[in-house]
Amino acid sequence: MDYDDLVPVRGLLSQLAGPGGAARVVEPGKHGYGERAPGGPPLPALRPPRRRPARRRAGRRWIAGAAVAVAGAAVAVLAAVGLGRSAPTFQAFDHATGVHGAARLHAAPTGAEIELTVAGLQAGERCIVVAVSARESDVAGTWSATYDGMARVAGTSAIPVGRLTALRIESGSGRLLLNIPV
């Protein structure tokens, strides 16, 4: 409801005030519409609220529709171009262990976020992913393989994505299962 729609109501309310500015109270059901209330003149007939011309409303609706269309186009362009580079994916397979995996790396304010998918592990095997750079290494996550030898792991490392050189998948005892060069 717009302000223009409320202006007639304001005028009617001001007419309900008596000569001294005090409002008259009409109890529902005692006096019908337009009847005289005790101590006051008859109530004026209500007029339907004034409507703005249809073309002003149509103009505002057109502007709102255009704004929605522009916002939708902006979202489509950003989706097509991308909000940034897509996360690089690195894959590897170890013939000796039969383990294979893929990792996606995302830059984070504190280093790197790692999405890792590994298959070919022994069921229930305890594993560690170690992030490696030229000068340091860092445990980025631990897990136990599922009964089918698969794992999906989300890990983090304090080493920035640009400095990572490899992700090492190791067993709980420290045996190398897979090396994913980055």
Side-chain angles (χ1 to χ4, degrees):
M1 186 173 271
D2 293 327
Y3 177 79
D4 292 338
D5 294 335
L6 294 175
V7 170
V9 174
R10 181 175 166 236
L12 290 174
L13 290 174
S14 67
Q15 290 176 6
L16 289 177
R24 293 178 307 163
V25 177
V26 178
E27 295 179 27
K30 281 197 167 188
H31 303 282
Y33 178 75
E35 291 181 25
R36 182 169 157 37
L43 295 174
L46 283 178
R47 292 171 292 169
R50 235 182 37 212
R51 297 279 181 198
R52 280 183 272 150
R55 62 176 196 206
R56 278 178 66 191
R57 283 188 184 174
R60 286 184 183 168
R61 286 184 186 145
W62 182 87
I63 291 171
V68 169
V70 167
V75 168
V77 167
L78 288 175
V81 171
L83 295 174
R85 294 184 334 184
S86 63
T89 302
F90 302 93
Q91 300 179 12
F93 177 73
D94 189 305
H95 294 285
T97 62
V99 176
H100 54 96
R104 292 184 67 145
L105 304 176
H106 304 274
T110 57
E113 293 178 354
I114 303 164
E115 294 176 36
L116 179 66
T117 304
V118 184
L121 301 167
Q122 290 183 358
E125 184 169 26
R126 183 86 177 133
C127 299
I128 301 167
V129 60
V130 179
V132 181
S133 75
R135 287 182 264 161
E136 60 188 322
S137 64
D138 169 352
V139 173
T142 61
W143 73 93
S144 293
T146 61
Y147 69 92
D148 61 356
M150 301 233 5
R152 293 184 69 91
V153 181
T156 58
S157 172
I159 303 170
V161 172
R163 291 196 348 226
L164 287 173
T165 58
L167 297 173
R168 292 174 50 95
I169 312 303
E170 300 177 358
S171 69
S173 64
R175 183 174 69 111
L176 179 63
L177 301 172
L178 180 64
N179 185 54
I180 304 174
V182 175

